[in-house]
Amino acid sequence: MTDTWTPPSWKAYPADQQPDWPDSVELERVVGELAARPPLIFAGEARRLTEDLGRVCRGEAFLLQAGDCAESFDVGTADAIRDKLKVILQMAAVLQYSGGVPVVKVGRIAGQFAKPRSSATETRGDVELPSFRGHIVNDFAFEPEARRPDPARLLRAYDQSAATLNLLRAFTRGGYADLRQVHAWNLEFLASSPEGKRYEELADGIDRALTFMESCGFDVGDSHMRQVDLYTSHEALLLGYEEALTRTDSITGEWYDCSAHMLWIGERTRDPGGAHVQFLAGVHNPVGCKVGPTMEPDQLLELCEILNPDRIEGRLTLISRMGADTVARNLPPLLAAVRDAGHPVVWACDPMHGNTFATEDGVKTRHLEDVLREVGGFFAAHASEGTWPGGIHVELTGDDVTECLGGGDSLQAHQLGRRYETMCDPRLNGRQSLDLAFRVAELLPRGRSRAATSLRP
Ligand code: PEP
Ligand code: CO
């Protein structure tokens, strides 16, 4: 980060994946209005997340980053937000209790609206329209009016982010995330399934542990038990929006992007000379960067140097998304290069984006077995390099959708149509998410063996 960095500095660099806004005057007016709105998060919270991720970086904790591929303006209801929170809390309880590690919880939520696309336009028959870029830009319906990028949507995205964050804060601070509620997080549709029952047993175990601790004189009603930190994150894709919410922290005088606690750079915009990297280089939030199969060690080290020149633990999370078949080959050289260069990073595994395919009917999906295979390959790569498999980054929903194949119901391709609701990538449903959490917990080295296996100096 240079001393000359300012929020609009990114404009001097090529910015991929920006919509072709038809009305630039209106865009400028809206961005001005956003810049006058209150920040969504406080810089001190982002600093606390950096500290929490610092613990992940040192092998003392595990990162669970999870939520929608693309949030929708149509499903910002209290129930949808609560159910997403429930799945995240359940997964965290499983990882923490079965895996024996503290879990840092970060949602892809309260701002995850903008989507990168492989093509700027979509053609159906002889009609060509702008691609759907997420509700912050345009609408999903394949109609000219719906697909026209509309700056007013930036304000709506801000409003929905604020409302979502407000409810999340209420739930996580107001008693809903109290560990003594661990049974209440089991989603109704899930409770009778084998995963739900396994979770009930785990919740019984947590109850017994709490009773035991209480009988020993510990205060199990203290704030560590009653409240959780659920941080927010999204891909920092629309740089005008991110710039408008970037503010100087009144305490340190440093720049923070106050649209979310953590921001990440997507696989399509991670060019070290591009605007997205240059923008996030200047803000002090913890940042992430996707690392796909074409990443070379030299380029990765260049990114580490740009994004974390001061080598602050917890500042940079590298999100590996290789694909189940390539992770064993591609990841170890990258782990070794970063380790040998002495860059402190969190390594997280996104087992979703390298494993997407279309069924014979053209439905975009993922198979839970591929997701699990990639996670397995990720853990194996870390074991061989002596580095810490710091976390997972997944797309899920609390709803009982049918978007990914496999899992406890052995969902088949012809059943995907039953409840396929995503506007973008297919998400794990509650049952598949819980299954994943149990499988990851089994891979985690526990307690003392963790200290012995992780983090060679
Ligand atoms: C995403 O996380 O939704 C995404 C688009 O991922 P990637 O940039 O890794 O393709
Ligand atoms: Co996605």
Side-chain angles (χ1 to χ4, degrees):
M1 279 164 260
T2 62
D3 295 340
T4 55
W5 188 96
T6 60
S9 299
W10 62 271
K11 291 182 174 156
Y13 301 89
D16 276 349
Q17 297 285 343
Q18 304 305 291
D20 217 348
W21 301 101
D23 187 344
S24 55
V25 176
E26 179 61 4
L27 175 67
E28 225 164 279
R29 191 194 66 73
V30 164
V31 168
E33 193 176 329
L34 272 175
R37 298 252 184 126
L40 291 173
I41 61 106
F42 165 56
E45 297 174 310
R47 272 195 293 281
R48 203 167 66 234
L49 176 56
T50 302
E51 283 166 23
D52 285 354
L53 290 171
R55 283 188 263 286
V56 179
C57 191
R58 295 191 294 277
E60 299 162 7
F62 193 74
L63 167 65
L64 172 62
Q65 191 168 13
D68 262 311
C69 179
E71 286 177 277
S72 163
F73 286 175
D74 305 327
V75 264
T77 63
D79 286 357
I81 296 165
R82 187 203 53 212
D83 287 350
K84 226 175 293 173
L85 173 66
K86 274 186 182 182
V87 185
I88 294 174
L89 292 175
Q90 276 190 291
M91 290 179 79
V94 169
L95 290 164
Q96 206 150 329
Y97 189 70
S98 298
V101 282
V103 174
V104 179
K105 295 166 274 298
V106 181
R108 287 176 62 117
I109 201 165
Q112 174 51 24
F113 291 107
K115 298 311 299 175
R117 305 316 307 233
S118 42
S119 168
T121 60
E122 181 182 344
T123 305
R124 293 190 197 171
D126 50 11
V127 182
E128 185 180 12
L129 293 176
S131 291
F132 173 59
R133 289 183 179 274
H135 270 165
I136 193 170
V137 176
N138 55 6
D139 207 353
F140 189 58
F142 191 73
E143 287 156 19
E145 190 44 35
R147 288 293 173 93
R148 205 172 60 89
D150 177 5
R153 287 177 168 270
L154 296 173
L155 295 170
R156 206 164 151 200
Y158 171 92
D159 289 342
Q160 186 163 323
S161 300
T164 303
L165 188 54
N166 184 52
L167 190 61
L168 288 173
R169 288 189 197 281
F171 279 142
T172 54
R173 299 274 135 188
Y176 187 77
D178 191 323
L179 248 193
R180 291 168 301 185
Q181 298 291 327
V182 65
H183 285 280
W185 305 334
N186 216 354
L187 291 155
E188 267 159 39
F189 69 86
L190 228 163
S192 60
S193 70
E195 293 80 8
K197 288 190 179 132
R198 195 173 171 191
Y199 176 79
E200 278 301 313
E201 282 167 24
L202 179 133
D204 285 342
I206 293 176
D207 268 351
R208 280 195 299 274
L210 290 177
T211 308
F212 174 72
M213 282 164 62
E214 209 164 15
S215 70
C216 295
F218 289 103
D219 178 10
V220 297
D222 96 339
S223 64
H224 281 99
M225 303 288 181
R226 277 204 323 270
Q227 303 182 342
V228 298
D229 288 322
L230 176 77
Y231 298 101
T232 60
S233 71
H234 61 257
E235 178 174 349
L237 190 71
L238 293 191
L239 294 174
Y241 180 85
E242 302 303 334
E243 177 193 336
L245 287 164
T246 297
R247 313 289 163 82
T248 44
D249 171 26
S250 51
I251 297 174
T252 62
E254 289 167 339
W255 292 106
Y256 281 83
D257 182 344
C258 296
S259 69
H261 300 110
M262 176 185 184
L263 289 311
W264 79 83
I265 301 164
E267 174 68 2
R268 293 169 190 77
T269 49
R270 60 169 165 75
D271 175 3
H276 293 82
V277 171
Q278 296 299 325
F279 178 77
L280 284 192
V283 298
H284 284 70
N285 309 58
V287 298
C289 184
K290 294 287 191 96
V291 177
T294 59
M295 179 74 89
E296 295 290 336
D298 285 355
Q299 194 191 31
L300 184 56
L301 294 183
E302 190 183 349
L303 282 166
C304 290
E305 213 40 64
I306 297 171
L307 291 170
N308 192 15
D310 299 330
R311 303 188 175 211
I312 295 164
E313 290 178 345
R315 152 76 179 170
L316 179 60
T317 297
L318 298 176
I319 307 161
S320 160
R321 34 90 84 219
M322 295 293 171
D325 295 329
T326 42
V327 61
R329 187 178 63 244
N330 290 9
L331 186 57
L334 299 173
L335 300 180
V338 174
R339 178 199 63 203
D340 293 346
H343 268 289
V345 301
V346 168
W347 275 106
C349 174
D350 165 0
M352 315 295 293
H353 288 90
N355 297 309
T356 316
F357 65 94
T359 64
E360 276 174 14
D361 301 332
V363 183
K364 213 176 176 192
T365 190
R366 292 156 172 162
H367 203 296
L368 183 64
E369 281 313 310
D370 293 335
V371 168
L372 293 169
R373 262 193 318 126
E374 176 151 2
V375 173
F378 174 82
F379 272 79
H382 282 280
S384 78
E385 297 306 320
T387 45
W388 173 238
I392 52 170
H393 178 120
V394 287
E395 290 181 343
L396 54 72
T397 169
D399 299 330
D400 192 15
V401 297
T402 55
E403 297 171 4
C404 291
L405 301 171
D409 301 314
S410 307
L411 203 79
Q412 310 285 313
H414 69 274
Q415 297 168 315
L416 290 176
R418 261 201 248 149
R419 205 175 154 190
Y420 191 95
E421 295 177 0
T422 183
M423 292 187 304
C424 200
D425 292 335
R427 302 158 298 174
L428 301 174
N429 60 30
R431 210 174 144 181
Q432 292 166 329
S433 303
L434 208 47
D435 197 357
L436 172 66
F438 278 115
R439 307 279 278 268
V440 173
E442 283 162 13
L443 292 170
L444 280 167
R446 284 187 69 96
R448 217 175 285 161
S449 65
R450 182 168 76 243
T453 51
S454 76
L455 301 181
R456 276 205 303 253

